[in-house]
Amino acid sequence: MINASDLRAGMTFVQDGKLIKVLDASHHKPGKGNTVMRMKLRDVRTGSTYDTTFRPEEKFEKAHIDTKAVQYLYTMDDTAFFMDLETYEQYEIPVEVVEEEMKFILENMEVKIQFFGSEVIGVQLPSSVILKVVETQPSIKGATVTGSGKPATMETGLVVNVPDFVEEGEMLEINTAEGTYLKRAK
């Protein structure tokens, strides 16, 4: 069991038979009354997200999540296909379950899939990925890193705010947790 005050982004717990993933968690102290935990949560099986509050001492069953290294193969219709790198077994995951993660995944990329028991529940991304810029405004001469930036569309369709000096065709390192530009890839 785990207290609500110990839940952090990325953790998964069981509530009323539902598998719930914490997207964001913060302590909130209203003017009067006791501290509450504000949470943004996602039902892992349905993909629906919602905001709620819990008392810090409320207890939940922590879900035991296993991971396995796989290679992303392709997406067909509304299903993403992954292959186990050791057994060559294939796993099918509905795209709606991994819609956010797919913005960072290219064909043949290695990721980890998550299991709750024998049920495939999602994809665990590396902390950063390298993606190619396919569309952005032309760079501005004399632009610096401190400028306000401009939007750039990556090869997966992800749109990231990048510094003004970034050009089409460049490879960039992207933070997968926040979907933000880190640096040019070497």
Side-chain angles (χ1 to χ4, degrees):
M1 299 298 272
I2 188 168
N3 287 335
S5 60
D6 295 327
L7 291 171
R8 302 284 178 260
M11 293 177 118
T12 307
F13 65 95
V14 179
Q15 181 186 31
D16 302 327
K18 294 179 180 174
L19 198 56
I20 308 294
K21 183 172 186 170
V22 179
L23 301 177
D24 189 37
S26 61
H27 289 270
H28 179 68
K29 176 83 169 125
K32 292 183 179 178
N34 296 329
T35 300
V36 294
M37 294 296 299
R38 281 190 177 163
M39 305 248 176
K40 181 173 183 144
L41 306 173
R42 179 171 65 209
D43 184 319
V44 172
R45 294 182 179 111
T46 65
S48 62
T49 60
Y50 59 97
D51 294 314
T52 190
T53 58
F54 296 117
R55 292 185 320 277
E57 66 276 3
E58 282 187 71
K59 293 192 179 296
F60 301 98
E61 178 188 342
K62 188 172 180 183
H64 182 72
I65 306 296
D66 293 315
T67 59
K68 184 179 281 194
V70 295
Q71 182 180 45
Y72 169 62
L73 299 175
Y74 59 92
T75 299
M76 185 164 49
D77 299 325
D78 57 354
T79 305
F81 292 85
F82 298 85
M83 180 181 66
D84 186 314
L85 294 171
E86 293 176 10
T87 65
Y88 303 109
E89 182 179 352
Q90 287 194 14
Y91 299 98
E92 300 176 13
I93 304 176
V95 170
E96 63 192 27
V97 174
V98 291
E99 192 170 2
E100 288 302 308
E101 291 88 346
M102 292 305 292
K103 294 176 183 173
F104 300 96
I105 302 174
L106 296 170
E107 284 187 10
N108 302 320
M109 184 181 279
E110 287 185 27
V111 293
K112 292 182 178 168
I113 54 174
Q114 301 171 315
F115 292 89
F116 179 65
S118 61
E119 178 185 4
V120 177
I121 59 164
V123 173
Q124 181 180 339
L125 296 169
S127 59
S128 66
V129 294
I130 296 176
L131 299 173
K132 184 177 182 178
V133 177
V134 293
E135 184 182 331
T136 190
Q137 299 165 355
S139 64
I140 301 167
K141 216 172 188 61
T144 64
V145 177
T146 57
S148 61
K150 60 184 179 180
T153 304
M154 309 311 287
E155 58 192 311
T156 59
L158 176 70
V159 177
V160 178
N161 198 39
V162 299
D164 290 326
F165 60 78
V166 171
E167 297 179 8
E168 283 183 23
E170 286 194 64
M171 301 298 283
L172 304 179
E173 190 170 335
I174 306 296
N175 176 327
T176 58
E178 299 165 5
T180 55
Y181 165 86
L182 290 174
K183 61 184 179 184
R184 286 177 165 158
K186 293 183 169 57

